């Protein structure tokens, strides 16, 4: 159990996980964790309870047939195996392009809103109800518009093309991961501006 600034706690968790993997070289032995982000005056006992719930969600997560070995942040669980690094990479790209290359910050909210539609779609599918695939063409349209508006900004254009053509097209699971990267980037940018 650790208490600290949210970004430092995520870094700490990743460092603990990486050191754990170096120390314990056994298949089937894994490490799961979770964080709760609360206001400074929030009761520590209640924060610990929320972090415990996040940890439980991570322990219940299954990735490629393997349970546990996951991390829960911002209410989303990711596997340490592949997903955490994927999300962190895209978070870093979002932050860099928005901060230094004038990519519109609104892209973060758009990605999160499309992911929310994709999630509702999955829930509808489980209930046997009609599905809404509008998030696929809406995201492609939105990213195409960003590409057209940023035509002189090669880094932003290439990034948006990669999102549209490789990362999001036909990959519902990637919407969840990309939305997590967008949320992480949003909080990072906001913190850096304070």
């Amino acid at each position: 159990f650790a208490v600290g600034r949210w970004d430092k706690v995520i870094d700490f968790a990743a460092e603990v996980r990486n050191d754990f993997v170096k120390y314990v070289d056994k298949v089937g032995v894994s490490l799961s964790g979770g964080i709760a982000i609360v206001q400074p005056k929030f009761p520590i006992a209640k924060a610990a309870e929320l972090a415990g719930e996040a940890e439980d969600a991570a322990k219940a997560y299954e990735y490629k047939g393997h349970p546990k070995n996951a991390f829960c942040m911002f209410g989303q669980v990711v596997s340490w195996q592949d997903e955490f690094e994927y999300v962190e990479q895209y978070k870093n790209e979002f932050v860099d392009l928005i901060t230094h290359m004038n990519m519109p910050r609104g892209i973060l909210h758009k990605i999160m809103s499309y992911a929310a539609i994709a999630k509702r779609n999955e829930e509808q599918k489980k209930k046997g109800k009609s599905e809404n695939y509008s998030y696929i063409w809406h995201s492609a349209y939105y990213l195409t518009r960003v590409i057209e508006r940023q035509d002189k900004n090669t880094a932003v254009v290439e990034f948006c093309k990669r999102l549209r053509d490789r990362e999001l097209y036909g990959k519902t699971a990637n919407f969840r991961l990309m939305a997590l990267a967008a949320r992480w980037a949003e909080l990072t940018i906001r913190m850096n501006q304070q």
Side-chain angles (χ1 to χ4, degrees):
F1 182 72
V3 176
R5 198 173 77 186
W6 69 269
D7 60 320
K8 299 296 183 189
V9 172
I10 293 172
D11 292 343
F12 174 71
E15 188 176 327
V16 167
R17 193 274 174 171
N18 291 337
D19 288 347
F20 179 83
V21 169
K22 290 176 193 171
Y23 182 74
V24 179
D25 191 19
K26 289 187 174 185
V27 176
V29 178
S30 64
L31 185 69
S32 295
I35 67 167
I37 299 175
V38 297
Q39 295 298 318
K41 295 188 181 199
F42 195 83
I44 194 76
K46 182 65 178 164
E49 187 179 308
L50 294 174
E53 291 171 9
E55 179 188 10
D56 290 342
K59 287 180 177 180
Y61 187 66
E62 198 167 303
Y63 179 73
K64 294 184 178 179
H66 302 287
K68 303 181 182 180
N69 196 28
F71 185 62
C72 182
M73 59 183 185
F74 313 123
Q76 291 289 324
V77 181
V78 290
S79 166
W80 283 121
Q81 187 176 339
D82 299 315
E83 295 177 323
F84 182 84
E85 288 178 7
Y86 177 90
V87 170
E88 186 175 34
Q89 173 202 330
Y90 275 97
K91 180 270 296 186
N92 290 336
E93 287 189 73
F94 278 127
V95 170
D96 184 52
L97 291 170
I98 290 168
T99 306
H100 303 294
M101 302 300 291
N102 295 320
M103 184 166 75
R105 192 172 174 175
I107 194 170
L108 302 174
H109 291 281
K110 287 290 190 179
I111 295 289
M112 288 186 277
S113 69
Y114 298 138
I117 296 168
K119 182 179 179 180
R120 281 194 303 274
N121 196 45
E122 288 297 312
E123 291 166 1
Q124 292 291 87
K125 186 177 180 179
K126 288 177 186 174
K127 294 177 184 176
K129 297 185 178 179
S130 62
E131 300 166 52
N132 174 7
Y133 291 103
S134 66
Y135 65 94
I136 296 171
W137 57 82
H138 284 295
S139 63
Y141 176 79
Y142 173 77
L143 291 168
T144 300
R145 297 289 295 161
V146 172
I147 290 165
E148 290 170 354
R149 291 182 185 133
Q150 298 279 324
D151 66 335
K152 305 251 188 291
N153 194 337
T154 308
V156 172
V157 167
E158 292 305 313
F159 178 77
C160 289
K161 282 183 180 178
R162 183 168 17 113
L163 285 185
R164 183 192 66 191
D165 301 340
R166 288 203 329 252
E167 298 303 325
L168 298 180
Y169 184 74
K171 298 178 182 176
T172 303
N174 282 10
F175 275 91
R176 176 183 69 86
L177 298 175
M178 204 60 68
L180 183 56
R183 178 69 176 135
W184 192 356
E186 177 187 45
L187 291 173
T188 301
I189 291 167
R190 187 183 307 160
M191 184 186 64
N192 291 342
Q193 291 176 340
Q194 293 178 350

